Amino acid sequence: MRERKLQPPKGPLQGKIEVPGDKSISHRSVMFGSLAHGTTHVQHFLGSEDCLRTLTIFQAMGVKIEQKGSSLTIFGKGPEALKEPLEPLYFGNSGTTARLMLGILAGLPMFTTLHGDISLTKRPMNRVVEPLRLMGAQIDGRDHGNYLPLAIRGQTMKGIRYELPVKSAQVKSAILLAGLFAEGETTVTESTSTRNHTETMLEAFGAELHINGTAVSLKGNQTLTATDIYVPGDISSAAFFLVAAAIVPGSSLKLLNVGLNETRTGIIDVLLEMGADIQIENERQKGGERIGNITITYRELKAVTIEGEIIPRLIDEIPIIALLATQAEGTTVIKDARELRVKETDRIRAVTETLTRLGANIKETKDGFIICGKTKLVGNRVESYHDHRMGMLAAVASLITTTEVTIDDITPIATSYPSFFKDLEQII
Ligand code: SPQ
């Protein structure tokens, strides 16, 4: 536990920040580089706790990975060279590592046990375990395999046609990864597009994929070939600074080389709809992903309704968007976001409790919030709930509170953004 007291700053926020690499893409770069044949170089890798879990897990399975700052060199020898780990694999706080690794491990000829921290141990795994069992996986664990710790005895898997019952990129990715080394063809269909980094990166590693609307198909027994990966800045990390500039009067910030993949840019659409002043320049493709620089300048905001198809495009930004809504004129309604209840914490409950403690007018609903703005926020002691995004939400809120905010524990922030406070101090 590491408490932190934050004094409200005196003036507007100004400056430039290059946020660290995207967490989703960093995880996948280690996974695919380790499963590929040849040497993969990764640039701008996010060295956060979650991504380092993924890296350590592949090292425990015999993959040689060298790390120098934010560069990785992964010496892949294909899935057949992976060794059975001698000890249980520890996933810490990382849902992405746990769910995607289930898809990979289910088809490898080895026995593995998987465990995680107090938060991950409460997150449902059935969403991945059930389709994997349909493909032939042998997985057991608490509550018949719904919760960690889990044990997997690898099997020869067979392809599947599967319609996702939850809007989840992690479930889609786990099935595609299992399908990649299975017999026959695998097709995953989703009702709304979720982040597509797995598909994009599989193609970069030479896999053959067919994408038809929201259906993704691939043939089994494919070989991945090493490639070079550049990881764009994480828009989910940038979101904290976008909101900071949008709520502190007089601010202007430039965020460099941020990932602008359309499946992730819902926060920009919402900010624009609320009336924020946002400019995007130097937009380009790098390593298969769209990136660019975002400049945001403070302007008065108005309330909006956020629901339906946009939700998966901003699911991780909803906590910080809730803070944004407290500073917009009118009533903001956020719905269709029930998935927030099974993240690192129940984010609907945690956001409501936190913003209420800070003086906001916010009501929890079954799948979102109703937030009335604009409200003056006050200082108080708040929790981070073992959740990095809750810790960063509280820190950004402290930029506009009348008095000091105390966060009970800032250690979870390192799961996605170890240099968060250093970057924040640069612009205050
Ligand atoms: O890895 P983890 O803990 O699940 O991380 C979170 C986050 O806030 O960083 C969710 F709590 O991001 C998920 C995201 O919500 C990362 C992710 C991915 O990389 O595929 C997909 C989303 O989860 P899901 O369940 O909607 O697929």
Side-chain angles (χ1 to χ4, degrees):
M1 295 277 273
R2 192 143 59 93
E3 186 185 273
R4 181 133 180 171
K5 290 181 190 304
L6 295 153
Q7 297 292 339
K10 305 233 161 18
L13 310 174
Q14 301 286 347
K16 279 186 198 167
I17 299 176
E18 179 161 16
V19 292
D22 187 275
K23 175 159 80 69
S24 296
I25 299 177
S26 294
H27 280 304
R28 286 156 172 86
S29 70
V30 175
M31 291 178 187
F32 298 172
S34 299
L35 293 169
H37 290 264
T39 305
T40 290
H41 298 280
V42 184
Q43 263 181 49
H44 204 229
F45 172 77
L46 171 66
S48 74
E49 278 180 12
D50 272 15
C51 298
L52 292 175
R53 297 281 173 217
T54 301
L55 193 147
T56 314
I57 281 166
F58 279 100
Q59 285 175 329
M61 293 199 292
V63 181
K64 184 175 161 204
I65 306 177
E66 288 172 358
Q67 187 185 6
K68 274 202 193 110
S70 64
S71 298
L72 295 184
T73 308
I74 306 170
F75 300 90
K77 292 186 176 162
E80 54 284 355
L82 294 175
K83 294 194 183 75
E84 184 174 71
L86 300 179
E87 290 182 21
L89 297 174
Y90 183 61
F91 296 112
N93 192 251
S94 181
T96 307
T97 314
R99 299 210 176 102
L100 270 59
M101 286 308 297
L102 275 164
I104 294 171
L105 294 168
L108 291 177
M110 57 178 75
F111 174 77
T112 42
T113 51
L114 332 174
H115 66 129
D117 72 4
I118 179 81
S119 152
L120 189 59
T121 305
K122 293 181 190 153
R123 295 177 69 184
M125 295 294 146
N126 251 348
R127 51 185 56 204
V128 174
V129 169
E130 275 173 11
L132 291 177
R133 281 187 181 139
L134 295 174
M135 299 174 81
Q138 237 189 62
I139 302 173
D140 205 353
R142 280 198 309 127
D143 190 27
H144 308 288
N146 190 21
Y147 296 110
L148 296 177
L150 295 175
I152 307 176
R153 187 165 297 284
Q155 302 294 317
T156 304
M157 305 278 278
K158 49 186 189 309
I160 189 180
R161 293 186 76 81
Y162 195 72
E163 267 184 46
L164 289 186
V166 279
K167 296 175 182 60
S168 165
Q170 292 177 352
V171 181
K172 173 177 65 175
S173 303
I175 299 170
L176 289 175
L177 284 166
L180 192 64
F181 305 117
E183 289 169 355
E185 198 174 55
T186 292
T187 301
V188 185
T189 309
E190 40 189 2
S191 56
T192 309
S193 297
T194 60
R195 67 190 70 189
N196 62 1
H197 307 301
T198 296
E199 296 90 306
T200 305
M201 206 181 285
L202 277 175
E203 284 178 331
F205 277 89
E208 240 183 83
L209 246 69
H210 294 284
I211 300 174
N212 187 0
T214 55
V216 189
S217 305
L218 52 73
K219 286 209 169 63
N221 291 320
Q222 297 204 42
T223 304
L224 300 182
T225 308
T227 187
D228 289 348
I229 300 286
Y230 167 81
V231 183
D234 196 329
I235 190 160
S236 298
S237 298
F240 293 97
F241 296 109
L242 290 174
V243 170
I247 62 176
V248 177
S251 298
S252 184
L253 289 181
K254 188 167 188 166
L255 303 168
L256 305 171
N257 304 323
V258 181
L260 295 172
N261 179 317
E262 241 187 72
T263 60
R264 298 282 299 282
T265 49
I267 173 109
I268 295 178
D269 296 355
V270 164
L271 277 160
L272 287 171
E273 203 189 331
M274 288 176 119
D277 178 356
I278 291 188
Q279 307 296 329
I280 297 181
E281 24 108 32
N282 200 12
E283 229 179 302
R284 61 207 189 273
Q285 283 291 116
K286 196 165 175 186
E289 293 276 350
R290 203 160 67 102
I291 66 167
N293 300 337
I294 310 173
T295 302
I296 177 157
T297 307
Y298 175 85
R299 197 151 77 185
E300 292 286 331
L301 302 172
K302 60 180 192 306
V304 288
T305 295
I306 304 169
E307 61 184 332
E309 299 220 331
I310 197 170
I311 296 294
R313 296 179 54 231
L314 46 67
I315 187 72
D316 296 338
E317 288 65 77
I318 293 177
I320 196 68
I321 289 174
L323 170 66
L324 180 71
T326 68
Q327 302 309 301
E329 208 60 61
T331 302
T332 291
V333 179
I334 303 178
K335 4 182 190 177
D336 303 325
R338 197 191 279 268
E339 271 296 299
L340 290 178
R341 296 214 182 264
V342 291
K343 298 294 181 187
E344 283 80 331
T345 186
D346 175 344
R347 286 182 176 162
I348 295 184
R349 174 67 44 86
V351 165
T352 309
E353 280 174 6
T354 301
L355 292 179
T356 302
R357 286 182 72 77
L358 298 177
N361 183 346
I362 176 168
K363 196 167 144 274
E364 169 180 348
T365 63
K366 65 178 190 325
D367 60 353
F369 315 90
I370 300 169
I371 303 159
C372 297
K374 183 172 175 170
T375 354
K376 207 176 236 335
L377 298 188
V378 295
N380 208 336
R381 185 181 171 83
V382 294
E383 284 177 47
S384 60
Y385 302 85
H386 301 285
D387 185 338
H388 50 135
R389 302 207 190 278
M390 289 307 302
M392 289 186 277
L393 158 71
V396 175
S398 78
L399 300 173
I400 54 164
T401 50
T402 47
T403 51
E404 181 181 270
V405 170
T406 303
I407 308 174
D408 70 334
D409 184 18
I410 56 163
T411 51
I413 293 175
T415 64
S416 70
Y417 200 161
S419 59
F420 172 73
F421 283 108
K422 206 173 111 235
D423 288 352
L424 184 64
E425 274 152 22
Q426 259 187 59
I427 53 157
I428 289 179

